[in-house]
Structure formats: structure tokens, C-alpha cells
Amino acid sequence: MLKKIEAYFMKEMSEKAGRIAVFSLGLLIPNYGFRMLFLFLLVTTVLPADIHNKRISNLLALPYSHGELFWISLLFLVGITTSTEFLGAALFGRGFIYTGINLWRSLNFIGFYYAVSMLSVIAGLDNFGIPFLIFILDIIMGGLGSTYENPYFYISPVYQGKSLAVTGVAIATLLISYLIFTKKGGQK
């Protein structure tokens, strides 16, 4: 399994090196709002972009199942997110607790939007447009009214009022997207 992970990481780094480098630099910015934007851009350029651009058959020609592709691509995102979070913490002198909270929030965010992007391309839609609309709706709905009166604020992947609730939503969305992807595949 490690060889499959290594092969996928090498494939992503060789094909998308420029984009990943720019997005990784953006992930070093200490402001979480900017980080979220670059996380979103990164999420939409991995496996969902390959499916949308009809390159999934090339990946499936390698010894990958649909399920393995799904989780290895998510692992790739987790690796970049984690490494840039700790590198940014070291560069900007952020504390361990602050870094841990930001990492948890970032993982919740990428988990949810990776799943949304995957569901979008599985349905034959765009890997960027539909998730971006949901991202904008998320920002609007989570920001409505007082935070105490807005129940969506607590489960919003952007605002993350209750981190455990957001983690639950992200995991549920990931599992749904995984099940649909392994059942339907990524062909349009």
C-alpha cells in the first residue's frame, strides 16, 4: 500500500507541481481566512479535477481501486495541509495549541469540501463551480444574524462554531461521497 501512496504522491507532484507550490505558499499565510481560500483551491485541483478532466481512466489503469484513489487523494491533501500548518507555525512563531486548533479546523474544511467536490464531479458537474457556490452559501448562511441564534454557524465548515459537530458533518459527507464514488465511479 505504501508503494501505491508513494506513486500517487509522485504523480500529483509531477503533474501539478506549480499549482501545489503556489497553494502551499498561500497556506503559510498566518491568517486563517486566506488559508481557507488556498485550501479550497487545493482541494478542487486533486482527484476531483482529474475526474472532471476525464483522466480517471489513466489512474485506474494503475493498480488502484476507486476506494484507494479516494482515500489516497485525501491523504495527499492531509499531508500538504499538515506540513504547511507546522511549517507556518515554525516560521511565524505560533504556539502548539493555536497550531493544533488551526490544523483541526483545516482538516474539517478539506474533508467537507473534498467530499462536496467529489460529489459534484460524480454527478457530472464541475469540480470547482458547484463547490465554490456551496462555499459562498456557507459563508453567507453562517454569517447570518447573531452566532447564538444561527444554528448553521455551529456546523458550518467555514465558521466552525462547534468543532466536534463540524467534524461529524465532514466525516458523514466524506463517507457518503466515498460510497457513491465507489459505487458509481468517476465516469461521466
Side-chain angles (χ1 to χ4, degrees), residues 19-29 38 42 80 84:
R19 280 180 278 177
I20 291 170
V22 168
F23 297 155
S24 295
L25 285 174
L27 290 174
L28 294 175
I29 297 171
F38 284 101
L42 183 64
I80 290 176
T84 55

Side-chain angles (χ1 to χ4, degrees), residues 20-72:
I20 291 170
V22 168
F23 297 155
S24 295
L25 285 174
L27 290 174
L28 294 175
I29 297 171
N31 182 316
Y32 187 73
F34 282 113
R35 184 172 175 76
M36 238 183 344
L37 178 64
F38 284 101
L39 284 171
F40 180 81
L41 293 172
L42 183 64
V43 163
T44 59
T45 61
V46 290
L47 185 59
D50 288 339
I51 294 170
H52 180 70
N53 295 322
K54 298 180 179 167
R55 289 190 299 239
I56 185 124
S57 56
N58 295 343
L59 291 169
L60 291 173
L62 299 170
Y64 293 116
S65 68
H66 283 86
E68 289 173 334
L69 274 177
F70 183 90
W71 295 116
I72 291 172

Side-chain angles (χ1 to χ4, degrees), residues 171-184:
I171 289 172
T173 312
L174 270 171
L175 290 176
I176 290 167
S177 122
Y178 168 74
L179 292 172
I180 293 172
F181 180 63
T182 54
K183 191 173 197 175
K184 285 190 169 187

Side-chain angles (χ1 to χ4, degrees), residues 6-145:
E6 180 185 3
Y8 183 83
F9 280 35
M10 287 175 51
K11 173 231 165 264
E12 288 294 294
M13 292 305 283
S14 64
E15 286 181 0
K16 303 170 186 169
R19 280 180 278 177
I20 291 170
V22 168
F23 297 155
S24 295
L25 285 174
L27 290 174
L28 294 175
I29 297 171
N31 182 316
Y32 187 73
F34 282 113
R35 184 172 175 76
M36 238 183 344
L37 178 64
F38 284 101
L39 284 171
F40 180 81
L41 293 172
L42 183 64
V43 163
T44 59
T45 61
V46 290
L47 185 59
D50 288 339
I51 294 170
H52 180 70
N53 295 322
K54 298 180 179 167
R55 289 190 299 239
I56 185 124
S57 56
N58 295 343
L59 291 169
L60 291 173
L62 299 170
Y64 293 116
S65 68
H66 283 86
E68 289 173 334
L69 274 177
F70 183 90
W71 295 116
I72 291 172
S73 179
L74 181 62
L75 183 65
F76 180 74
L77 289 170
V78 168
I80 290 176
T81 302
T82 304
S83 60
T84 55
E85 183 65 46
F86 284 116
L87 183 59
L91 288 173
F92 296 108
R94 288 180 273 166
F96 183 73
I97 293 174
Y98 178 81
T99 302
I101 291 170
N102 267 356
L103 180 59
W104 186 7
R105 293 181 72 198
S106 296
L107 294 177
N108 284 338
F109 184 86
I110 65 166
F112 179 80
Y113 281 102
Y114 175 74
V116 166
S117 191
M118 287 296 291
L119 288 170
S120 178
V121 295
I122 292 166
L125 302 170
D126 191 29
N127 65 306
F128 182 81
I130 300 300
F132 186 69
L133 287 175
I134 292 172
F135 180 63
I136 297 299
L137 283 172
D138 190 9
I139 291 170
I140 292 169
M141 289 176 53
L144 291 175

